[in-house]
Amino acid sequence: MKTVPSPYRGFASLDALLCIIPIMLMLMLLSTAVSSLMHDADEAARRQAVFGKTASVADYTVKIGAARHEGDVRYPNWLDTDRLNPEYSESMRVRAGLSRIYVGLEEPDGGDGEFGACLYRLVVIGDDKAIRKLHVCGG
């Protein structure tokens, strides 16, 4: 007795192939979406860390780092402008673990474009107690 091949013999494998292709495309799309979301979350966490470090540098500068001293008395928010020099900025950059930083009374060139975060604190300078903005930017 001779067996006759069925005309529907390859139908099951062709059907499986056509089902697998959309499933694979959906998995690739899901993988790309998850990767994009993870990248965005990582970038947001990095920006938040830079902002937190920059705010810490600003608070430290105003309260301790460049605050005016007379003996054992410290005057927060009253700055000794002689302490705001490149060496102070470099020491703050290293302590905060930032790649670049600006600490000064003038607004930096480039602003937020060059740095990840910029903020300011109101301070008093000089014996006449002039009110100024202390700009602190970090990246």
Side-chain angles (χ1 to χ4, degrees):
M1 178 146 171
K2 190 172 178 185
T3 59
V4 179
S6 170
Y8 303 108
R9 186 173 184 169
F11 180 74
S13 62
L14 182 63
D15 187 43
L17 179 65
L18 291 175
C19 289
I20 289 175
I21 291 174
I23 291 172
M24 293 299 289
L25 289 173
M26 285 188 279
L27 288 175
M28 287 175 41
L29 178 65
L30 180 65
S31 173
T32 303
V34 168
S35 175
S36 176
L37 289 173
M38 292 298 292
H39 175 73
D40 291 348
D42 186 46
E43 183 63 25
R46 188 196 66 75
R47 280 193 313 265
Q48 183 62 39
V50 167
F51 179 79
K53 290 176 182 183
T54 303
S56 294
V57 168
D59 292 341
Y60 177 82
T61 299
V62 168
K63 294 178 183 172
I64 298 169
R68 190 170 186 166
H69 291 80
E70 290 180 6
D72 290 339
V73 179
R74 185 177 9 188
Y75 298 97
N77 291 36
W78 189 0
L79 296 188
D80 181 2
T81 56
D82 294 337
R83 292 186 184 178
L84 296 177
N85 53 39
E87 292 82 23
Y88 177 78
S89 293
E90 179 62 19
S91 69
M92 289 291 97
R93 184 193 68 78
V94 170
R95 288 177 70 177
L98 295 169
S99 60
R100 59 188 177 273
I101 196 167
Y102 171 81
V103 180
L105 296 172
E106 301 299 322
E107 192 168 350
D109 295 333
D112 282 340
E114 183 181 344
F115 297 98
C118 285
L119 51 99
Y120 68 87
R121 298 286 190 255
L122 292 177
V123 295
V124 174
I125 61 169
D127 291 330
D128 59 348
K129 298 182 182 176
I131 297 173
R132 298 279 304 272
K133 289 181 182 179
L134 174 71
H135 295 271
V136 181
C137 297

